[in-house]
Amino acid sequence: MKKPVFTGAGVAIITPMYEDGSINFDELGRIIEDQIARHTDAIIICGTTGECSTMTDEEQLAAIKFTVDTVNHRVPVIAGAGSNDTDHGCALAAKSAACGADALLMVTPYYNKSTQEGLVAHYTEIAEKTSLPIVVYNVPSRTGVNIQPATLEKICRLPQVVAVKEANPDVAQAMEKINLVGDDATFYCGNDDLTIPLMVLGFQGVISVLSNVMPAETSKMTSLALSGNWAEASQMQRDLLPMVKALFCETSPIPCKAAMSMMGMCRNELRLPLIPMQEANQQKLADIMRGWKLI
């Protein structure tokens, strides 16, 4: 089996910002330290939750380099470097490697509506041009394309592809993918409401939005699952469900940033076209957070 980049709870970390939209590196540093202190197993920087789609390449690489330097090898740093332009993705992958990232998170091409054969060609090109381990990111609700099981089997035969972040809620298809891919890749859940159900099936952890707000709890839940304590892990999954639903009641990371702002972790600043959370939804989120004594 290919060596996992991590097992357990990886955080799809937010990118804190100032009012003018620039990256607040002071807040990012504090958030990273808090995540490590609360036992997060990996930091995923410049993913969907990090709003990388509205960053320039220079900003994205600055965030990756800052994270690598701040983490200083304490946990793996996985850099989001995906693009709907294969050449651009290859360039970002190379520059992320130069920043010191431990692995790459490479989302499927979005908007173009690639064929399944095109997906294989896309990941083959990237794999041939990087020495870093690749985590394939399948998130059909965002990209408009789903990696079919037979396609994923081909992609995971590539030596550089070591893992899959599966953010497709089709559990039956997830089972089929695990059966076909076997030991060629580690699977991570990309949906916080399905972490334990998918770990039961063989996933080795989660790349989590929830972990921004509740890193210790997310880490504990996945640790329980990895140690075979399914009853307690499942109870935690059920207990955390209202929080997860609240964090996704509007487009992520809108609620996540609202929650972290209420906790004093960052400003509630997003880049257009994302806007702050609606007041009614924020009040519901705050009520759930009070129940967990987060605020």
Side-chain angles (χ1 to χ4, degrees):
M1 184 174 185
K2 296 173 184 174
K3 182 181 177 181
V5 179
F6 75 96
T7 58
V11 60
I13 203 164
I14 65 159
T15 303
M17 297 174 181
Y18 290 108
E19 189 174 354
D20 65 2
S22 61
I23 298 173
N24 188 329
F25 287 103
D26 289 339
E27 286 184 348
L28 179 57
R30 288 194 293 271
I31 292 168
I32 290 169
E33 292 298 339
D34 183 69
Q35 287 288 325
I36 293 173
R38 295 175 188 269
H39 310 298
T40 288
D41 296 297
I43 307 287
I44 295 83
I45 182 72
C46 293
T48 305
T49 313
E51 298 176 76
C52 66
S53 61
T54 54
M55 289 183 184
T56 65
D57 286 1
E58 291 74 19
E59 288 174 319
Q60 191 166 339
L61 293 166
I64 292 166
K65 183 66 165 62
F66 177 86
T67 302
V68 168
D69 290 346
T70 303
V71 170
N72 193 25
H73 306 292
R74 288 176 287 174
V75 297
V77 174
I78 303 172
S83 175
N84 68 330
D85 172 358
T86 303
D87 285 345
H88 184 216
C90 290
L92 280 175
K95 292 173 182 177
S96 298
C99 289
D102 297 293
L104 303 167
L105 181 71
M106 305 301 291
V107 71
T108 55
Y110 39 87
Y111 188 77
N112 310 55
K113 299 193 75 171
S114 169
T115 63
Q116 295 296 302
E117 294 80 4
L119 291 174
V120 175
H122 172 78
Y123 283 105
T124 299
E125 184 77 6
I126 294 167
E128 289 176 349
K129 293 186 177 179
T130 183
S131 59
L132 288 184
I134 294 170
V135 181
V136 172
Y137 182 13
N138 187 45
V139 56
S141 65
R142 294 271 188 173
T143 65
V145 61
N146 176 49
I147 305 177
Q148 296 296 332
T151 304
L152 188 63
E153 181 185 17
K154 295 175 185 175
I155 292 170
C156 290
R157 289 178 187 155
L158 297 166
Q160 295 306 116
V161 173
V162 302
V164 179
K165 178 184 177 183
E166 186 64 39
N168 181 351
D170 187 337
V171 175
Q173 189 173 103
M175 284 191 284
E176 187 177 357
K177 287 177 177 179
I178 293 174
N179 286 341
L180 286 173
V181 170
D183 290 340
D184 280 339
T186 301
F187 280 80
Y188 303 118
C189 178
N191 297 85
D192 279 300
D193 57 349
L194 290 174
T195 301
I196 299 306
L198 289 178
M199 289 186 75
V200 169
L201 298 174
F203 281 45
Q204 293 299 300
V206 62
I207 295 178
S208 170
V209 174
L210 173 66
S211 195
N212 281 281
V213 180
M214 303 180 74
E217 291 80 2
T218 310
S219 174
K220 180 181 178 181
M221 180 175 67
T222 56
S223 294
L224 287 166
L226 289 169
S227 66
N229 190 341
W230 296 110
E232 194 172 347
S234 298
Q235 184 62 58
M236 285 195 73
Q237 177 82 85
R238 294 194 297 273
D239 292 344
L240 288 165
L241 184 60
M243 176 64 78
V244 171
K245 292 178 71 174
L247 288 174
F248 288 92
C249 70
E250 293 185 24
T251 301
S252 184
I254 291 172
C256 184
K257 277 199 164 176
M260 294 185 74
S261 175
M262 286 187 273
M263 294 167 68
M265 298 294 289
C266 72
R267 300 165 185 251
N268 192 17
E269 299 290 345
L270 304 110
R271 285 188 177 177
L272 288 171
L274 299 185
I275 60 173
M277 197 174 189
Q278 294 180 24
E279 182 63 29
N281 286 334
Q282 186 161 324
Q283 286 304 315
K284 292 176 184 177
L285 173 60
D287 289 343
I288 294 169
M289 293 175 68
R290 290 188 190 99
W292 284 95
K293 296 182 171 55
L294 297 172
I295 55 174

